[in-house]
Amino acid sequence: METAFLIVSAITLAGAVAAVSLRNLVHCVLAAAVAFAGLAGVFLTLEAEFVAFAQLLVYVGAVSILMVMALGLTRHVTAPAGARAWAPWTVGVGVALLVLAAVVSAVPAAGGPQPAGSGWVAAVRVMGETLMTRHVVALEVLGLLLTAALIGAGVIALPRRKDEE
Amino acid sequence: MTTLHHYLVLSALLFSVGLAGVLTRRNAILVLIGIELMLNAANLNLVAFWRHGAHPAPVDGLVMVLFVVAVAAAEAAVGLALVIALHRRHRTTNLDELDSDGDGGSEGGAAS
């Protein structure tokens, strides 16, 4: 358990750091895919199997591919060298470190609650029943939202006609 | 034994990395990646609290994660479509250039 968590969390953090720091944008997107896959592994160590596989399907399968496609369509493979000014870079990292310190100081001390006893693998069944009963309205709204996003993304990305420009 | 503490610290680290990416990178697609990393950190918090909560736990935490994942997917689709539209209009995905020397027309900001 401990070893598995260490491995997947190291993969996740390394992928995340690479995703925001590499120069080649394609490498960034691929590193982000590694981070998403590592996070699916973290979900597995938490015994949230369904969420882990949903994470794999949605993020590694769909969002990463979408980002690679957007990169290809915008033909911006390499960030212009030297375009990154030094001051905003340090300010951004400094703000991120401040937020990290604030959040970590709010985390309860080590040795917090132990996970509930294992051997309760019926979560997927319970999730399905909950989705279809208590959260059914939210589920329907979510379907509507996804349809709207599908149509909206198509409309936004369509080329404009000449008379509109 | 891995406790809740480890997961929360990992989540905070992931969130900070995403935030640093959003604040430092100038490419719109990389900013979107940073936002996705922050959403993933929030999801990790939800799952960790669900796992370490009452037993037998209601699955509300997991259902919430599923909703967040779905909304994040919709957000990524619309965001990337916006990036493509911006690139078609301004020939760049650099947010600084978009900010400073856009076409400046009143319809330019609203239309794209």
Coordinates of all heavy atoms in Angstrom, one line a residue, chain A residues 16-55:
Chain A
A16 N 3.2 16.2 -13.5 CA 2.6 17.6 -13.4 C 3.6 18.7 -13.5 O 3.5 19.7 -14.2 CB 1.9 17.7 -12.0
V17 N 4.8 18.4 -12.8 CA 5.9 19.4 -12.9 C 6.4 19.5 -14.4 O 6.6 20.6 -14.9 CB 7.0 19.1 -12.0 CG1 8.2 19.9 -12.2 CG2 6.5 19.2 -10.5
A18 N 6.5 18.4 -15.0 CA 7.0 18.4 -16.4 C 6.0 19.1 -17.3 O 6.3 19.9 -18.2 CB 7.3 17.0 -16.9
A19 N 4.7 18.9 -17.0 CA 3.6 19.5 -17.8 C 3.7 21.0 -17.8 O 3.3 21.7 -18.8 CB 2.3 19.0 -17.4
V20 N 4.0 21.6 -16.7 CA 4.0 23.1 -16.6 C 5.4 23.7 -16.8 O 5.5 24.9 -16.8 CB 3.4 23.5 -15.3 CG1 2.0 23.0 -15.1 CG2 4.3 23.1 -14.1
S21 N 6.4 22.8 -17.0 CA 7.7 23.5 -17.1 C 8.5 23.2 -18.4 O 9.4 23.9 -18.7 CB 8.6 23.0 -15.9 OG 8.8 21.6 -15.9
L22 N 8.1 22.2 -19.1 CA 8.8 21.9 -20.3 C 8.6 22.9 -21.4 O 7.6 23.7 -21.4 CB 8.4 20.5 -20.9 CG 8.8 19.3 -20.1 CD1 8.3 18.0 -20.7 CD2 10.3 19.2 -19.9
R23 N 9.5 23.0 -22.3 CA 9.4 24.1 -23.3 C 8.6 23.6 -24.5 O 7.8 24.4 -25.1 CB 10.8 24.4 -23.8 CG 11.5 25.4 -22.9 CD 12.6 26.2 -23.6 NE 13.0 27.2 -22.7 CZ 12.5 28.5 -22.8 NH1 11.6 28.7 -23.7 NH2 12.9 29.4 -22.0
N24 N 8.8 22.3 -24.9 CA 8.0 21.8 -26.1 C 6.6 21.5 -25.7 O 6.3 20.8 -24.7 CB 8.7 20.6 -26.6 CG 8.1 20.1 -27.9 OD1 6.9 20.2 -28.1 ND2 9.0 19.7 -28.8
L25 N 5.6 22.2 -26.3 CA 4.2 22.1 -25.9 C 3.7 20.6 -26.0 O 2.9 20.2 -25.2 CB 3.4 23.0 -26.7 CG 3.6 24.5 -26.4 CD1 2.6 25.4 -27.2 CD2 3.5 24.8 -24.9
V26 N 4.2 19.9 -27.1 CA 3.7 18.5 -27.2 C 4.2 17.7 -26.0 O 3.4 16.9 -25.5 CB 4.2 17.9 -28.5 CG1 3.8 16.5 -28.7 CG2 3.6 18.7 -29.7
H27 N 5.4 17.9 -25.6 CA 5.9 17.2 -24.4 C 5.1 17.6 -23.2 O 4.8 16.7 -22.3 CB 7.4 17.6 -24.2 CG 8.3 17.1 -25.3 ND1 9.6 17.4 -25.4 CD2 8.0 16.3 -26.4 CE1 10.1 16.9 -26.4 NE2 9.2 16.2 -27.1
C28 N 4.7 18.9 -23.1 CA 3.9 19.3 -22.0 C 2.6 18.5 -21.9 O 2.2 18.0 -20.9 CB 3.6 20.8 -22.1 SG 5.0 21.8 -21.8
V29 N 1.9 18.4 -23.1 CA 0.6 17.7 -23.1 C 0.8 16.2 -22.7 O 0.0 15.6 -22.0 CB -0.1 17.9 -24.4 CG1 -1.3 17.0 -24.5 CG2 -0.4 19.3 -24.7
L30 N 1.9 15.6 -23.2 CA 2.1 14.2 -22.9 C 2.4 14.0 -21.5 O 2.0 13.0 -20.8 CB 3.2 13.7 -23.8 CG 2.9 13.6 -25.3 CD1 4.0 13.1 -26.1 CD2 1.6 12.8 -25.6
A31 N 3.2 14.9 -20.9 CA 3.5 14.9 -19.5 C 2.2 15.0 -18.6 O 2.0 14.4 -17.6 CB 4.5 15.9 -19.1
A32 N 1.3 15.9 -19.1 CA 0.0 16.0 -18.4 C -0.7 14.7 -18.5 O -1.4 14.3 -17.5 CB -0.8 17.2 -19.0
A33 N -0.7 14.0 -19.6 CA -1.3 12.7 -19.7 C -0.8 11.7 -18.7 O -1.5 11.0 -18.0 CB -1.2 12.2 -21.1
V34 N 0.6 11.8 -18.5 CA 1.2 10.9 -17.5 C 0.7 11.3 -16.1 O 0.4 10.4 -15.3 CB 2.7 11.1 -17.6 CG1 3.4 10.4 -16.4 CG2 3.3 10.5 -18.9
A35 N 0.6 12.6 -15.8 CA 0.1 13.0 -14.5 C -1.3 12.5 -14.3 O -1.7 12.0 -13.2 CB 0.2 14.5 -14.4
F36 N -2.2 12.6 -15.3 CA -3.6 12.2 -15.2 C -3.6 10.7 -14.9 O -4.4 10.2 -14.1 CB -4.4 12.5 -16.4 CG -4.5 14.0 -16.7 CD1 -4.6 14.4 -18.0 CD2 -4.6 14.9 -15.7 CE1 -4.8 15.8 -18.2 CE2 -4.7 16.2 -15.9 CZ -4.8 16.7 -17.2
A37 N -2.8 9.9 -15.6 CA -2.7 8.5 -15.4 C -2.2 8.1 -14.0 O -2.8 7.2 -13.4 CB -1.9 7.8 -16.5
G38 N -1.2 8.9 -13.6 CA -0.7 8.6 -12.2 C -1.8 8.9 -11.2 O -1.9 8.2 -10.2
L39 N -2.6 9.9 -11.4 CA -3.7 10.2 -10.5 C -4.7 9.1 -10.5 O -5.3 8.8 -9.4 CB -4.3 11.6 -10.8 CG -5.1 12.1 -9.7 CD1 -4.2 12.6 -8.6 CD2 -6.0 13.3 -10.1
A40 N -4.9 8.5 -11.6 CA -5.8 7.4 -11.7 C -5.3 6.3 -10.8 O -6.0 5.6 -10.1 CB -6.0 6.9 -13.1
G41 N -3.9 6.1 -10.8 CA -3.3 5.1 -9.9 C -3.5 5.5 -8.4 O -3.8 4.6 -7.6
V42 N -3.5 6.8 -8.1 CA -3.7 7.2 -6.7 C -5.1 6.9 -6.3 O -5.4 6.4 -5.2 CB -3.4 8.7 -6.6 CG1 -3.8 9.2 -5.2 CG2 -2.0 9.0 -6.9
F43 N -6.1 7.1 -7.3 CA -7.5 6.7 -7.0 C -7.6 5.2 -6.7 O -8.4 4.8 -5.9 CB -8.4 7.1 -8.1 CG -8.6 8.6 -8.2 CD1 -9.0 9.2 -9.4 CD2 -8.4 9.4 -7.2 CE1 -9.2 10.5 -9.6 CE2 -8.6 10.8 -7.3 CZ -9.0 11.3 -8.5
L44 N -6.8 4.4 -7.4 CA -6.8 3.0 -7.2 C -6.3 2.6 -5.8 O -6.9 1.8 -5.1 CB -6.0 2.2 -8.2 CG -6.7 2.0 -9.6 CD1 -5.7 1.3 -10.5 CD2 -8.0 1.3 -9.4
T45 N -5.3 3.3 -5.3 CA -4.8 3.1 -4.0 C -5.9 3.5 -2.9 O -5.9 3.0 -1.8 CB -3.5 3.8 -3.6 OG1 -3.8 5.2 -3.6 CG2 -2.5 3.5 -4.7
L46 N -6.8 4.4 -3.3 CA -7.9 4.7 -2.4 C -9.1 3.8 -2.6 O -10.2 4.1 -2.1 CB -8.3 6.2 -2.7 CG -7.4 7.3 -2.1 CD1 -7.6 8.6 -2.7 CD2 -7.6 7.3 -0.6
E47 N -9.0 2.8 -3.4 CA -10.0 1.8 -3.7 C -11.3 2.5 -4.3 O -12.4 2.1 -4.0 CB -10.4 1.1 -2.4 CG -9.3 0.3 -1.9 CD -9.6 -0.5 -0.6 OE1 -10.8 -0.7 -0.4 OE2 -8.7 -0.8 0.2
A48 N -11.0 3.5 -5.1 CA -12.1 4.1 -5.9 C -11.9 3.7 -7.3 O -11.5 4.5 -8.2 CB -12.1 5.6 -5.7
E49 N -12.2 2.4 -7.6 CA -11.9 1.9 -8.9 C -12.7 2.6 -10.0 O -12.1 2.9 -11.0 CB -12.2 0.4 -8.9 CG -11.3 -0.5 -8.0 CD -11.8 -0.6 -6.6 OE1 -12.9 0.0 -6.4 OE2 -11.2 -1.3 -5.8
F50 N -14.0 2.8 -9.8 CA -14.8 3.3 -10.9 C -14.3 4.7 -11.2 O -14.1 5.0 -12.4 CB -16.2 3.4 -10.5 CG -17.1 3.8 -11.6 CD1 -17.5 2.9 -12.5 CD2 -17.6 5.1 -11.6 CE1 -18.3 3.3 -13.6 CE2 -18.5 5.5 -12.7 CZ -18.8 4.6 -13.6
V51 N -14.0 5.5 -10.2 CA -13.5 6.9 -10.5 C -12.1 6.8 -11.2 O -11.8 7.6 -12.1 CB -13.4 7.7 -9.2 CG1 -12.7 9.0 -9.4 CG2 -14.8 7.9 -8.6
A52 N -11.3 5.8 -10.8 CA -10.0 5.7 -11.4 C -10.1 5.4 -12.9 O -9.4 6.0 -13.8 CB -9.2 4.6 -10.8
F53 N -11.0 4.5 -13.3 CA -11.2 4.2 -14.7 C -11.9 5.3 -15.4 O -11.6 5.5 -16.6 CB -11.9 2.8 -14.8 CG -11.0 1.7 -14.3 CD1 -11.5 0.8 -13.4 CD2 -9.7 1.5 -14.8 CE1 -10.7 -0.2 -12.9 CE2 -8.9 0.5 -14.3 CZ -9.4 -0.3 -13.3
A54 N -12.8 6.0 -14.8 CA -13.4 7.1 -15.4 C -12.3 8.2 -15.7 O -12.3 8.8 -16.8 CB -14.5 7.7 -14.5
Q55 N -11.4 8.4 -14.7 CA -10.3 9.3 -14.9 C -9.5 8.9 -16.1 O -9.1 9.7 -16.9 CB -9.5 9.3 -13.6 CG -8.1 9.9 -13.8 CD -8.1 11.4 -13.4 OE1 -9.1 11.9 -12.9 NE2 -7.0 12.1 -13.6

